[in-house]
mmCIF file of all heavy atoms in Angstrom:
data_model
loop_
_atom_site.group_PDB
_atom_site.id
_atom_site.type_symbol
_atom_site.label_atom_id
_atom_site.label_comp_id
_atom_site.label_asym_id
_atom_site.label_seq_id
_atom_site.Cartn_x
_atom_site.Cartn_y
_atom_site.Cartn_z
ATOM 1 N N PRO A 239 -4.113 -20.182 26.315
ATOM 2 C CA PRO A 239 -3.534 -18.867 26.006
ATOM 3 C C PRO A 239 -2.000 -18.820 26.085
ATOM 4 O O PRO A 239 -1.411 -17.758 25.875
ATOM 5 C CB PRO A 239 -4.146 -17.958 27.078
ATOM 6 C CG PRO A 239 -4.426 -18.867 28.228
ATOM 7 C CD PRO A 239 -4.732 -20.224 27.650
ATOM 8 N N ASP A 240 -1.392 -19.958 26.404
ATOM 9 C CA ASP A 240 0.083 -19.979 26.425
ATOM 10 C C ASP A 240 0.591 -20.691 25.181
ATOM 11 O O ASP A 240 0.048 -21.721 24.780
ATOM 12 C CB ASP A 240 0.602 -20.740 27.658
ATOM 13 C CG ASP A 240 0.178 -20.038 28.928
ATOM 14 O OD1 ASP A 240 0.181 -18.792 28.934
ATOM 15 O OD2 ASP A 240 -0.200 -20.747 29.889
ATOM 16 N N TYR A 241 1.629 -20.155 24.626
ATOM 17 C CA TYR A 241 2.167 -20.771 23.414
ATOM 18 C C TYR A 241 3.630 -20.352 23.283
ATOM 19 O O TYR A 241 3.951 -19.172 23.420
ATOM 20 C CB TYR A 241 1.386 -20.275 22.184
ATOM 21 C CG TYR A 241 1.831 -20.908 20.886
ATOM 22 C CD1 TYR A 241 1.355 -22.159 20.507
ATOM 23 C CD2 TYR A 241 2.718 -20.250 20.036
ATOM 24 C CE1 TYR A 241 1.760 -22.743 19.304
ATOM 25 C CE2 TYR A 241 3.120 -20.830 18.837
ATOM 26 C CZ TYR A 241 2.642 -22.070 18.476
ATOM 27 O OH TYR A 241 3.037 -22.640 17.299
ATOM 28 N N ALA A 242 4.480 -21.321 23.031
ATOM 29 C CA ALA A 242 5.885 -20.986 22.798
ATOM 30 C C ALA A 242 6.150 -21.125 21.308
ATOM 31 O O ALA A 242 5.958 -22.215 20.740
ATOM 32 C CB ALA A 242 6.782 -21.924 23.593
ATOM 33 N N ILE A 243 6.565 -20.038 20.698
ATOM 34 C CA ILE A 243 6.830 -20.076 19.251
ATOM 35 C C ILE A 243 8.026 -20.996 19.007
ATOM 36 O O ILE A 243 9.068 -20.864 19.660
ATOM 37 C CB ILE A 243 7.124 -18.665 18.714
ATOM 38 C CG1 ILE A 243 5.929 -17.743 18.982
ATOM 39 C CG2 ILE A 243 7.455 -18.702 17.228
ATOM 40 C CD1 ILE A 243 6.152 -16.282 18.600
ATOM 41 N N ALA A 244 7.876 -21.931 18.094
ATOM 42 C CA ALA A 244 8.973 -22.854 17.776
ATOM 43 C C ALA A 244 10.056 -22.096 17.017
ATOM 44 O O ALA A 244 9.776 -21.039 16.423
ATOM 45 C CB ALA A 244 8.435 -24.006 16.929
ATOM 46 N N PRO A 245 11.281 -22.609 17.026
ATOM 47 C CA PRO A 245 12.351 -21.933 16.289
ATOM 48 C C PRO A 245 11.902 -21.610 14.863
ATOM 49 O O PRO A 245 11.301 -22.449 14.192
ATOM 50 C CB PRO A 245 13.481 -22.968 16.286
ATOM 51 C CG PRO A 245 13.257 -23.750 17.539
ATOM 52 C CD PRO A 245 11.760 -23.827 17.702
ATOM 53 N N THR A 246 12.149 -20.382 14.445
ATOM 54 C CA THR A 246 11.658 -19.924 13.142
ATOM 55 C C THR A 246 12.837 -19.439 12.296
ATOM 56 O O THR A 246 13.545 -18.508 12.692
ATOM 57 C CB THR A 246 10.652 -18.759 13.327
ATOM 58 O OG1 THR A 246 9.652 -19.170 14.262
ATOM 59 C CG2 THR A 246 9.997 -18.374 12.012
ATOM 60 N N ASP A 247 13.012 -20.072 11.173
ATOM 61 C CA ASP A 247 14.054 -19.645 10.239
ATOM 62 C C ASP A 247 13.647 -18.287 9.660
ATOM 63 O O ASP A 247 12.563 -18.173 9.078
ATOM 64 C CB ASP A 247 14.161 -20.699 9.119
ATOM 65 C CG ASP A 247 15.215 -20.326 8.077
ATOM 66 O OD1 ASP A 247 15.748 -19.199 8.130
ATOM 67 O OD2 ASP A 247 15.490 -21.182 7.211
ATOM 68 N N PRO A 248 14.482 -17.258 9.810
ATOM 69 C CA PRO A 248 14.109 -15.936 9.281
ATOM 70 C C PRO A 248 13.789 -15.978 7.793
ATOM 71 O O PRO A 248 13.045 -15.141 7.287
ATOM 72 C CB PRO A 248 15.355 -15.078 9.532
ATOM 73 C CG PRO A 248 16.125 -15.791 10.592
ATOM 74 C CD PRO A 248 15.801 -17.247 10.474
ATOM 75 N N GLU A 249 14.325 -16.966 7.092
ATOM 76 C CA GLU A 249 14.079 -17.065 5.653
ATOM 77 C C GLU A 249 12.850 -17.919 5.332
ATOM 78 O O GLU A 249 12.588 -18.213 4.164
ATOM 79 C CB GLU A 249 15.314 -17.628 4.940
ATOM 80 C CG GLU A 249 16.425 -16.595 4.763
ATOM 81 C CD GLU A 249 15.984 -15.381 3.944
ATOM 82 O OE1 GLU A 249 15.405 -15.558 2.866
ATOM 83 O OE2 GLU A 249 16.203 -14.249 4.416
ATOM 84 N N SER A 250 12.097 -18.340 6.343
ATOM 85 C CA SER A 250 10.894 -19.119 6.023
ATOM 86 C C SER A 250 9.765 -18.169 5.628
ATOM 87 O O SER A 250 9.676 -17.034 6.101
ATOM 88 C CB SER A 250 10.491 -20.019 7.188
ATOM 89 O OG SER A 250 10.321 -19.259 8.353
ATOM 90 N N VAL A 251 8.905 -18.669 4.752
ATOM 91 C CA VAL A 251 7.853 -17.814 4.193
ATOM 92 C C VAL A 251 6.818 -17.486 5.267
ATOM 93 O O VAL A 251 6.365 -18.361 6.010
ATOM 94 C CB VAL A 251 7.190 -18.480 2.970
ATOM 95 C CG1 VAL A 251 6.076 -17.604 2.406
ATOM 96 C CG2 VAL A 251 8.236 -18.721 1.880
ATOM 97 N N SER A 252 6.451 -16.223 5.336
ATOM 98 C CA SER A 252 5.511 -15.749 6.355
ATOM 99 C C SER A 252 4.186 -15.322 5.729
ATOM 100 O O SER A 252 3.123 -15.671 6.209
ATOM 101 C CB SER A 252 6.114 -14.562 7.101
ATOM 102 O OG SER A 252 6.520 -13.562 6.166
ATOM 103 N N LEU A 253 4.272 -14.543 4.681
ATOM 104 C CA LEU A 253 3.063 -13.969 4.083
ATOM 105 C C LEU A 253 3.097 -14.138 2.576
ATOM 106 O O LEU A 253 4.158 -14.002 1.948
ATOM 107 C CB LEU A 253 2.980 -12.469 4.404
ATOM 108 C CG LEU A 253 2.569 -12.158 5.845
ATOM 109 C CD1 LEU A 253 3.249 -10.905 6.350
ATOM 110 C CD2 LEU A 253 1.052 -12.003 5.957
ATOM 111 N N LEU A 254 1.949 -14.427 2.051
ATOM 112 C CA LEU A 254 1.775 -14.457 0.600
ATOM 113 C C LEU A 254 0.812 -13.323 0.275
ATOM 114 O O LEU A 254 -0.331 -13.327 0.749
ATOM 115 C CB LEU A 254 1.183 -15.802 0.181
ATOM 116 C CG LEU A 254 0.647 -15.881 -1.242
ATOM 117 C CD1 LEU A 254 1.785 -15.781 -2.256
ATOM 118 C CD2 LEU A 254 -0.125 -17.184 -1.450
ATOM 119 N N HIS A 255 1.292 -12.366 -0.496
ATOM 120 C CA HIS A 255 0.472 -11.198 -0.813
ATOM 121 C C HIS A 255 0.251 -11.101 -2.298
ATOM 122 O O HIS A 255 1.205 -11.147 -3.071
ATOM 123 C CB HIS A 255 1.188 -9.919 -0.386
ATOM 124 C CG HIS A 255 0.789 -9.467 0.966
ATOM 125 N ND1 HIS A 255 -0.507 -9.139 1.277
ATOM 126 C CD2 HIS A 255 1.507 -9.301 2.090
ATOM 127 C CE1 HIS A 255 -0.560 -8.792 2.539
ATOM 128 N NE2 HIS A 255 0.642 -8.890 3.066
ATOM 129 N N PHE A 256 -0.980 -10.919 -2.690
ATOM 130 C CA PHE A 256 -1.256 -10.727 -4.106
ATOM 131 C C PHE A 256 -1.169 -9.236 -4.448
ATOM 132 O O PHE A 256 -1.595 -8.387 -3.664
ATOM 133 C CB PHE A 256 -2.624 -11.303 -4.459
ATOM 134 C CG PHE A 256 -2.613 -12.810 -4.413
ATOM 135 C CD1 PHE A 256 -2.945 -13.498 -3.251
ATOM 136 C CD2 PHE A 256 -2.206 -13.541 -5.518
ATOM 137 C CE1 PHE A 256 -2.887 -14.885 -3.195
ATOM 138 C CE2 PHE A 256 -2.146 -14.926 -5.477
ATOM 139 C CZ PHE A 256 -2.493 -15.599 -4.309
ATOM 140 N N THR A 257 -0.602 -8.948 -5.617
ATOM 141 C CA THR A 257 -0.471 -7.545 -6.036
ATOM 142 C C THR A 257 -1.852 -6.996 -6.395
ATOM 143 O O THR A 257 -2.829 -7.748 -6.481
ATOM 144 C CB THR A 257 0.472 -7.422 -7.252
ATOM 145 O OG1 THR A 257 -0.075 -8.190 -8.327
ATOM 146 C CG2 THR A 257 1.867 -7.937 -6.925
ATOM 147 N N SER A 258 -1.892 -5.702 -6.652
ATOM 148 C CA SER A 258 -3.195 -5.043 -6.831
ATOM 149 C C SER A 258 -3.870 -5.333 -8.165
ATOM 150 O O SER A 258 -5.037 -5.013 -8.345
ATOM 151 C CB SER A 258 -3.028 -3.529 -6.702
ATOM 152 O OG SER A 258 -2.698 -3.195 -5.382
ATOM 153 N N GLY A 259 -3.144 -5.884 -9.121
ATOM 154 C CA GLY A 259 -3.765 -6.176 -10.412
ATOM 155 C C GLY A 259 -4.005 -4.934 -11.249
ATOM 156 O O GLY A 259 -4.888 -4.918 -12.097
ATOM 157 N N THR A 260 -3.216 -3.903 -11.032
ATOM 158 C CA THR A 260 -3.403 -2.665 -11.794
ATOM 159 C C THR A 260 -2.965 -2.863 -13.239
ATOM 160 O O THR A 260 -3.592 -2.356 -14.164
ATOM 161 C CB THR A 260 -2.581 -1.516 -11.162
ATOM 162 O OG1 THR A 260 -2.766 -1.559 -9.746
ATOM 163 C CG2 THR A 260 -3.020 -0.172 -11.679
ATOM 164 N N THR A 261 -1.892 -3.612 -13.429
ATOM 165 C CA THR A 261 -1.360 -3.756 -14.788
ATOM 166 C C THR A 261 -1.698 -5.100 -15.423
ATOM 167 O O THR A 261 -1.374 -5.320 -16.577
ATOM 168 C CB THR A 261 0.182 -3.607 -14.778
ATOM 169 O OG1 THR A 261 0.716 -4.552 -13.842
ATOM 170 C CG2 THR A 261 0.592 -2.217 -14.363
ATOM 171 N N GLY A 262 -2.300 -5.993 -14.692
ATOM 172 C CA GLY A 262 -2.623 -7.299 -15.262
ATOM 173 C C GLY A 262 -3.043 -8.259 -14.162
ATOM 174 O O GLY A 262 -3.455 -7.831 -13.083
ATOM 175 N N LYS A 263 -2.922 -9.549 -14.441
ATOM 176 C CA LYS A 263 -3.346 -10.560 -13.467
ATOM 177 C C LYS A 263 -2.484 -10.430 -12.207
ATOM 178 O O LYS A 263 -1.255 -10.334 -12.305
ATOM 179 C CB LYS A 263 -3.142 -11.928 -14.109
ATOM 180 C CG LYS A 263 -3.650 -13.080 -13.293
ATOM 181 C CD LYS A 263 -3.626 -14.342 -14.161
ATOM 182 C CE LYS A 263 -4.018 -15.567 -13.377
ATOM 183 N NZ LYS A 263 -2.987 -16.031 -12.453
ATOM 184 N N PRO A 264 -3.118 -10.410 -11.023
ATOM 185 C CA PRO A 264 -2.329 -10.269 -9.793
ATOM 186 C C PRO A 264 -1.297 -11.381 -9.631
ATOM 187 O O PRO A 264 -1.554 -12.533 -9.962
ATOM 188 C CB PRO A 264 -3.384 -10.349 -8.692
ATOM 189 C CG PRO A 264 -4.656 -9.944 -9.354
ATOM 190 C CD PRO A 264 -4.561 -10.435 -10.764
ATOM 191 N N LYS A 265 -0.129 -10.989 -9.109
ATOM 192 C CA LYS A 265 0.939 -11.955 -8.856
ATOM 193 C C LYS A 265 0.990 -12.228 -7.362
ATOM 194 O O LYS A 265 0.699 -11.348 -6.563
ATOM 195 C CB LYS A 265 2.290 -11.351 -9.297
ATOM 196 C CG LYS A 265 2.369 -11.045 -10.770
ATOM 197 C CD LYS A 265 3.215 -9.804 -11.054
ATOM 198 C CE LYS A 265 2.375 -8.549 -11.057
ATOM 199 N NZ LYS A 265 3.042 -7.323 -11.427
ATOM 200 N N GLY A 266 1.406 -13.419 -6.992
ATOM 201 C CA GLY A 266 1.516 -13.772 -5.570
ATOM 202 C C GLY A 266 2.955 -13.573 -5.103
ATOM 203 O O GLY A 266 3.835 -14.356 -5.455
ATOM 204 N N ALA A 267 3.182 -12.526 -4.331
ATOM 205 C CA ALA A 267 4.550 -12.249 -3.867
ATOM 206 C C ALA A 267 4.773 -12.914 -2.509
ATOM 207 O O ALA A 267 3.973 -12.736 -1.591
ATOM 208 C CB ALA A 267 4.771 -10.747 -3.760
ATOM 209 N N MET A 268 5.852 -13.686 -2.421
ATOM 210 C CA MET A 268 6.134 -14.415 -1.179
ATOM 211 C C MET A 268 7.137 -13.657 -0.329
ATOM 212 O O MET A 268 8.188 -13.239 -0.825
ATOM 213 C CB MET A 268 6.675 -15.802 -1.519
ATOM 214 C CG MET A 268 5.614 -16.652 -2.209
ATOM 215 S SD MET A 268 6.142 -18.352 -2.426
ATOM 216 C CE MET A 268 7.247 -18.166 -3.799
#
Side-chain angles (χ1 to χ4, degrees):
D240 297 322
Y241 183 82
I243 301 175
T246 308
D247 179 352
E249 283 300 311
S250 55
V251 179
S252 54
L253 285 146
L254 167 68
H255 266 300
F256 289 91
T257 60
S258 292
T260 315
T261 55
K263 186 169 175 286
K265 298 146 270 185
M268 294 188 283

